[in-house]
Amino acid sequence: MVGIGLLITGPAHGLWPMTVEDHVNEGFERIRTGTLTALSSVASEAGNTLTVITVTLLSCLALILVPRLPMWRQALFLALGVALQSLVFLGITEAVNRQRPDVDRLDASPPTSSYTSGHTGAATAVYAGLAVLVLSRMRGPWRRVVAGVLFLLPLLVAVARLYRGMHHPTDVVGGLVNGSLSLLIVGRALLADGSVAAPPAADRRVPAPAAAAQPLPAPDSGRPERPDGRTAVIFNPTVTDQAGRDALRRVLEQHGHHAPVFIETTAEDPGGGQTAEAVRDGATLVVVCGGDGTLRAAADALAGSDVPLAMVPCGTGNLLARNLGLPLAPAAALDAALRGTARHIDLGRIEGDGLASTHFAAMSGAGLDAEVMQRANDHDRAKAVLGWPTYVLAALGALRTPRMELTVRLDDGPALRRTARMVLVGNIGTVQGGITLLPHARPDDGLLDLLILDPRGPGDWLRAVATLVRGGTKTPPKTADRLTAEDRDRVGDGVPVEFFAFRRAEFTFDSPQPRELDGDPVAPGRRLTAQTWPGALNVLLPERGK
């Protein structure tokens, strides 16, 4: 674009169509009327810097706060598209000095060059970017109409800038190209090939037990009542009030689970003891209503049992429920589970110094993520009011968590020496805010996935964020049998993100590190051992594709 600008102002200045550009501007000047001037002012303001910044900011906030799951990629696509267009515009105007048209100009001339049109480029980036998101995310007959109006706005801005004598025709064309290319580049980086919903590679899967999928009878439709035995509902009273319990009771009744027993968790026992006692008393279905901590405690008690678990997400994160496709409304989640099938998923078994052997269902880690969980848990009132954004605020405050040094041994592979801001072991891949940290993690593949995050400086942080926002890479995570000599001692060599997969891993930290287990901080320590237990948990899940 700089080359074209230098060509326009240099060797091609006396060639067509540059020789007739002034006639276009003069033609617009001749047809000016009061009404057209007022309309052009409105259209021109749509590409004004303050307007574009306001529209971009409000749109990004809406994409993050309004949907049930925040659209981080879409918000970044829009914000970075507008920002990239602005940077390119500034670079071009510094390199190409072009005078504005020699007509009566209706706006004050800014100090920048006429080539390219900043109003047109910014309008293209923000409104065409919104149009792309409308076409990709909206459903219904109006999406094409809305997208068409949004695509039309940059053209109106371009015509308004010509009418008001602020740019030559090639200037506004350059603005349209700048905005379009910026969206294309950012869209390819953030939106293309970003799905992490593809089935796991065949060589990753470990067959689940034979009883992994047992269809449940349909809801009660006049048949004799099933001999269900006991249905136990383990609930956290701090997040499940009487109205919520009544709603769950009605759903259970509709599916033939009569007279369920509701059992409260306590601060001393977050659900493990109640679940184990319910199974001993003959429960044939355990419903767990709470957050990730309550679910982890119940899953630990049910590990290896064939008693099915129905998850009712009532916490702040609800990571496992989100990753398994359950609705986040409690009654809807229970209804979807009871209409679904029983499937076996994996659990992670973990232990360390000061940490007795236990299981986790979602994630465990040390370093930055544990510090974030600790800070978020220190602000329970903020979590109750804000929900998942509390973790974002906690992450901003935890960025100064010092780098740690550690040794990692995966399965029977060699010891790996690393520095890191965070090590994260996951049975699932997506965390609060819809961000995917472990793109290849699947809860039923018989493996655990590992992220080692070690950015150094702003450039590495940007690379790391870009990798995670894109959903990682298409390259499968490394396993012990695929490690190379280069992988063995990679300390401070500028690799901000690494992905691995394993069945058993041993972590030894040079100094005690904060640690977390399914979002709950545990005692700091210097050792962690994580191991997968394939098919350990029998869970009721909605039918795939429904």
Side-chain angles (χ1 to χ4, degrees):
M1 293 190 67
V2 168
I4 292 173
L6 295 175
L7 190 65
I8 290 172
T9 57
H13 180 67
L15 302 177
W16 188 93
M18 270 58 73
T19 55
V20 300
E21 284 197 298
D22 288 341
H23 300 320
V24 175
N25 292 109
E26 291 165 359
F28 275 110
E29 185 180 29
R30 285 193 297 270
I31 66 170
R32 287 175 182 171
T33 66
T35 301
L36 289 177
T37 299
L39 292 174
S40 72
S41 177
V42 173
S44 181
E45 281 299 312
N48 190 32
T49 300
L50 182 59
T51 303
V52 169
I53 292 175
T54 302
V55 171
T56 303
L57 180 60
L58 293 178
S59 299
C60 290
L61 288 175
L63 288 166
I64 294 171
L65 299 177
V66 173
R68 181 171 63 88
L69 287 179
M71 298 183 182
W72 285 105
R73 290 188 197 179
Q74 288 74 15
L76 280 174
F77 161 72
L78 188 63
L80 293 180
V82 173
L84 178 59
Q85 175 278 145
S86 299
L87 290 174
V88 172
F89 163 74
L90 291 175
I92 293 171
T93 56
E94 284 293 319
V96 181
N97 183 20
R98 190 182 197 190
Q99 298 300 314
R100 296 188 182 273
D102 188 18
V103 296
D104 180 30
R105 294 189 286 273
L106 299 181
D107 295 327
S109 298
T112 54
S113 167
S114 179
Y115 176 88
T116 61
S117 171
H119 279 64
T120 307
T124 302
V126 66
Y127 300 119
L130 286 172
V132 170
L133 297 181
V134 165
L135 289 174
S136 62
R137 307 302 301 185
M138 281 185 65
R139 297 292 180 266
W142 285 98
R143 72 186 186 103
R144 295 186 183 275
V145 175
V146 174
V149 171
L150 290 169
F151 278 127
L152 183 62
L153 285 177
L155 299 178
L156 294 177
V157 172
V159 173
R161 300 303 284 170
L162 293 175
Y163 176 92
R164 300 180 73 80
M166 301 307 298
H167 293 286
H168 306 90
T170 47
D171 300 335
V172 297
V173 171
L176 291 168
V177 173
N178 180 16
S180 300
L181 287 177
S182 297
L183 290 177
L184 177 64
I185 292 168
V186 175
R188 290 282 294 177
L190 293 181
L191 302 183
D193 301 319
S195 172
V196 295
D203 61 345
R204 280 180 55 89
R205 292 189 65 85
V206 174
Q214 304 168 356
L216 294 177
D220 188 9
S221 56
R223 299 173 308 178
E225 180 179 334
R226 298 181 322 174
D228 287 325
R230 228 168 149 231
T231 298
V233 181
I234 312 299
F235 71 96
N236 183 340
T238 63
V239 295
T240 310
D241 57 16
Q242 185 60 51
R245 297 197 291 274
D246 291 342
L248 297 180
R249 194 187 307 274
R250 287 192 294 271
V251 173
L252 288 167
E253 289 284 341
Q254 292 169 4
H255 288 268
H257 296 273
H258 303 294
V261 177
F262 283 75
I263 308 171
E264 288 189 12
T265 64
T266 64
E268 295 75 22
D269 189 343
Q274 296 89 338
T275 301
E277 184 177 358
V279 172
R280 286 195 300 269
D281 290 344
T284 56
L285 172 65
V286 174
V287 178
V288 176
C289 186
D292 290 316
T294 306
L295 175 62
R296 187 201 66 78
D300 183 55
L302 289 172
S305 161
D306 211 32
V307 176
L309 165 68
M311 287 184 286
V312 179
C314 297
T316 305
N318 304 314
L319 295 188
L320 189 61
R322 292 176 189 268
N323 281 264
L324 293 177
L326 282 166
L328 296 184
L334 181 57
D335 181 68
L338 295 177
R339 292 178 184 275
T341 57
R343 302 193 189 106
H344 283 75
I345 65 170
D346 309 332
L347 288 177
R349 179 185 295 144
I350 197 160
E351 61 183 334
D353 52 327
L355 177 62
S357 178
T358 186
H359 297 91
F360 66 93
M363 294 179 175
S364 180
L368 178 62
D369 66 317
E371 182 67 22
V372 169
M373 299 304 173
Q374 181 63 62
R375 288 172 179 260
N377 282 9
D378 288 342
H379 297 85
D380 287 336
R381 183 172 298 178
K383 284 174 63 177
V385 174
L386 297 178
W388 65 263
T390 307
Y391 293 98
V392 177
L393 299 176
L396 294 176
L399 288 179
R400 293 184 178 273
T401 300
R403 179 177 285 103
M404 55 188 163
E405 297 185 7
L406 69 150
T407 301
V408 185
R409 186 181 296 276
L410 305 176
D411 296 321
D412 296 325
L416 308 178
R417 188 66 182 166
R418 292 294 187 271
T419 61
R421 296 284 186 184
M422 176 177 82
V423 294
L424 184 68
V425 175
N427 191 35
I428 47 100
T430 302
V431 297
Q432 291 91 345
I435 299 175
T436 299
L437 297 181
L438 295 165
H440 300 275
R442 298 294 183 270
D444 60 353
D445 63 358
L447 295 174
L448 293 173
D449 282 61
L450 169 65
L451 163 67
I452 297 182
L453 183 69
D454 190 28
R456 295 169 177 266
D460 273 0
W461 275 108
L462 288 175
R463 289 171 58 194
V465 169
T467 299
L468 297 176
V469 168
R470 287 199 307 266
T473 65
K474 291 183 178 180
T475 305
K478 290 188 176 182
T479 51
D481 58 346
R482 295 176 52 231
L483 296 175
T484 65
E486 181 184 357
D487 293 319
R488 295 181 185 179
D489 193 11
R490 178 173 282 169
V491 179
D493 63 352
V495 178
V497 182
E498 289 185 280
F499 298 103
F500 300 90
F502 62 89
R503 289 176 173 80
R504 176 183 170 85
E506 298 176 4
F507 303 89
T508 304
F509 306 101
D510 288 8
S511 59
Q513 297 298 323
R515 301 178 293 186
E516 60 91 5
L517 200 59
D518 275 349
D520 289 333
V522 295
R526 295 184 56 189
R527 290 188 297 103
L528 279 178
T529 300
Q531 183 173 347
T532 183
W533 185 351
L537 189 64
N538 192 18
V539 183
L540 300 185
L541 296 177
E543 293 283 1
R544 290 187 174 94
K546 293 186 179 180

